Every structure is written in structure tokens, then in C-alpha cells.
Amino acid sequence: MAMTRVNAEHGGDIADVTTLAWNLDAASRHPFEMLPPHDVRTLIGNSRDLPPLPQITRRLLDLQRSPEATAKQLADIVELDPLLTGQLLRWANSAYYAVRQQVVTVQDAIVRVLGFETALSLALGLTALVPLRTPNHGALGRDAVWQHGMLCSALMQRLRLLLPPDPPRPSVGLTQTAGLTHNVGYLILGHLLTDAFEFVSQLIQQNPVLELPVMERFALGVDHTQLGLWLFDEWQMPAALRCVVREHHNVGYQGEHEQLVLLTWLADHLLAHTSAGLGPPRSPECVEIACTRLGVDYTATQASCAFVMERVSGELP
């Protein structure tokens, strides 16, 4: 396979893909069963299995848009879903918040511990991702992607506090929801196209130093950011979340949601140095660009990541 260097369309770096002669064979134990589809976009567009946005998520989005929303209204919606109720209570009782007295009601969790915006963002992320029936094994297994999203959400909230006050910071809720959902493309891939999902998952395991979008575009012709955007477009999710889903590997992104995209990019990079990472760390040059544009000190961001890993790791819903 004669390939030398590939320009990462949205990754920002020039990725060395000489090793694509790589472990492609090793990545697939059953090469004929795991060949990637020729046109993933067509398959997804024609799929009758594309899950609709859950009704409870629609209600939460409506509540988010309401200027008169209350903790009682949010608790009433959350309590319609026993799984969501249990996970929200578990998060409120986690070591991250270190509550002295156990939280036993959803409204108590919202008012005493999480706060309205955090509780709403967690509920949005949970309910939106639950319908996606992704295999739960390998580098991209459902729990691995979900736990990475939870850690990213918590870390982005800490990083948000490091931002200078001008321009205005993204809202707490939007920041956390973006962290939770930015890798939804992997979940929709696993939901609709299991063989392609297995193929990409094994490529990533066999080639841990290569940029994820580069491998995905090589293997499938698309990457997880495109898949996630197609789903969020179909669901008519907020524009800021759609932007993060598509651009979170693009350190050069400029636009209305620049801070949110760069916060996600930086959180992904910091987590790549931990056991919860998805993909390799970004280049030092790109990290410097991201920190300069955000106006944050890189050492402070590393301290934020260490804090989150210490407090949150092992306590994830």
C-alpha cells in the first residue's frame, strides 16, 4: 500500500500515515467479514434503524429554552425515567461532590448538589445517548465512550473556570453537554454498522499513535465527527452542540462557538495522557495554539485534569 503523508482535513496536524502498510491486517481477524462499507453515508441515510430523538430529551430541550424553568419541573421530567433517576442520584452522591449526607431525591440532587444547569446537561446527555445500541467492548465500546464523555464534561467545566471573562464564557450547561456528547459519532456507527464499528475499533487498538479521524477516513471514507453531525442534524440538536461534534478535532476552527470547540479539543488532549483517553495526545505546537487562543495556562489545565481524575475516576455512572 503506497501511502506516505495525508493532510488531516479537520485534525489540524499533518499525520504521518507511512505506517498504513501498518497493522491493517492485524486489525481484522476476519477481513472478509469486516471490510468497511463503500458508502457509509448512503447506508446511514437509507437506514430504518436511525433512532429518533427520545421524547424525554425533547422535553428537556424545551425546558432548557424556557426562561421560567424550575428545579421542580426538571425533577418531574427526570423521574419519568428510572434509569436516568438512578444515574443522576449516583452522580450527586459521588466523591466529586463529597456530600456529607446522602442525597435520596432528584430534586434534592438538583437543588443541594448539582445545580440546575449541571443536572439538566447530565440528563440531556444521558437521554440522548441511551437509545444508541453500541457494542460494549473494545476501544470504542459504549461504556468507554460514555465514561470518556463524563470525564470530559467534568474537565471542561474546570477548564471553563480558567477562561478570561472576556469574551463571555460558554454557559455551564452547554459546556457540560458538549463534553458528554461530542463523540456521539462512534455510538451511531456502532448502532447502525456493527462490522464497520468493529473494523475501526480494532484499527485504533492496533495503531494507538495515529490520529483518529485520519484512520477513520482511510477505513470508511468518513470519520466520527461527520457521523455525529448527521445524527445531530437529524435530531435538530442545538447549533453549538452540532458544531462541537463536527469540529472538536479542529484546533484551527474559528467561529461563533470557538471557545466551546477549543475547550473540547483541549480536554480530549489532556485525557489522552490518562487511562480514559480516546486517541493519542495532540502535538505540542497545537496545544500551544489552543491555550493561547483560549487564554489559559497549560500547567493550570494539567492541574485541572489531575483533580478531575482523582475525584471522578471510579465514580462514574
Side-chain angles (χ1 to χ4, degrees), residues 24-242:
L24 186 55
D25 292 333
S28 172
R29 296 181 182 178
H30 308 286
F32 294 104
E33 296 176 8
M34 298 182 66
L35 285 176
H38 294 292
D39 192 340
V40 176
R41 185 170 191 168
T42 299
L43 286 171
I44 288 178
N46 293 337
S47 175
R48 297 179 181 178
D49 294 326
L50 188 68
L53 184 68
Q55 190 60 38
I56 191 170
T57 311
R58 292 189 185 280
R59 292 186 63 177
L60 290 166
L61 286 170
D62 289 341
L63 189 67
Q64 187 181 52
R65 298 185 190 105
S66 172
E68 300 176 354
T70 66
K72 173 67 164 60
Q73 291 173 316
L74 176 55
D76 288 344
I77 296 174
V78 169
E79 288 169 351
L80 295 173
D81 185 332
L83 177 63
L84 177 59
T85 297
Q87 290 185 324
L88 213 63
L89 287 173
R90 181 177 174 184
W91 187 246
N93 285 298
S94 71
Y96 185 78
Y97 292 99
V99 293
R100 294 182 179 180
Q101 185 175 357
Q102 185 178 24
V103 178
V104 295
T105 70
V106 172
Q107 188 161 347
D108 215 17
I110 297 168
V111 174
R112 280 183 49 212
V113 184
L114 301 175
F116 182 87
E117 284 196 88
T118 295
L120 179 56
S121 69
L122 290 170
L124 278 169
L126 280 161
T127 58
L129 302 183
V130 161
L132 301 175
R133 300 184 300 276
T134 306
N136 193 25
H137 57 268
L140 303 178
R142 183 186 64 247
D143 285 354
V145 172
W146 170 247
Q147 289 182 8
H148 180 270
M150 290 291 288
L151 285 166
C152 196
S153 176
L155 177 54
M156 285 172 65
Q157 179 56 19
R158 302 283 305 182
L159 296 177
R160 175 185 171 275
L161 299 176
L162 301 177
L163 296 176
D166 187 33
R169 299 165 176 165
S171 71
V172 173
L174 190 60
T175 300
Q176 293 180 315
T177 308
L180 283 169
T181 62
H182 71 286
N183 278 322
V184 68
Y186 288 128
L187 300 180
I188 192 63
L189 178 65
H191 178 87
L192 293 180
L193 302 167
T194 305
D195 287 349
F197 173 87
E198 299 283 1
F199 183 74
V200 170
S201 183
Q202 291 200 35
L203 280 180
I204 289 171
Q205 286 180 312
Q206 295 290 335
N207 300 277
V209 301
L210 294 182
E211 287 285 342
L212 300 183
V214 173
M215 280 190 286
E216 294 156 13
R217 286 194 293 272
F218 168 78
L220 304 179
V222 296
D223 63 52
H224 70 283
T225 72
Q226 293 167 287
L227 299 177
L229 179 62
W230 295 335
L231 178 65
F232 271 24
D233 280 345
E234 180 72 20
W235 283 356
Q236 299 181 322
M237 293 293 274
L241 297 182
R242 283 182 279 165

Side-chain angles (χ1 to χ4, degrees), residues 282-293:
R282 312 306 191 250
S283 71
E285 295 80 9
C286 286
V287 173
E288 183 177 355
I289 290 170
C291 289
T292 299
R293 292 178 62 197

Side-chain angles (χ1 to χ4, degrees), residues 222-299:
V222 296
D223 63 52
H224 70 283
T225 72
Q226 293 167 287
L227 299 177
L229 179 62
W230 295 335
L231 178 65
F232 271 24
D233 280 345
E234 180 72 20
W235 283 356
Q236 299 181 322
M237 293 293 274
L241 297 182
R242 283 182 279 165
C243 181
V244 170
V245 163
R246 180 65 177 109
E247 302 289 351
H248 66 271
H249 280 274
N250 181 13
V251 73
Y253 169 77
Q254 295 180 329
E256 180 181 359
H257 308 295
E258 184 174 316
Q259 283 187 314
L260 204 55
V261 167
L262 291 175
L263 281 175
T264 312
W265 186 97
L266 185 56
D268 275 345
H269 163 74
L270 290 165
L271 289 174
H273 290 282
T274 75
S275 59
L278 285 180
R282 312 306 191 250
S283 71
E285 295 80 9
C286 286
V287 173
E288 183 177 355
I289 290 170
C291 289
T292 299
R293 292 178 62 197
L294 285 170
V296 298
D297 174 70
Y298 184 55
T299 302

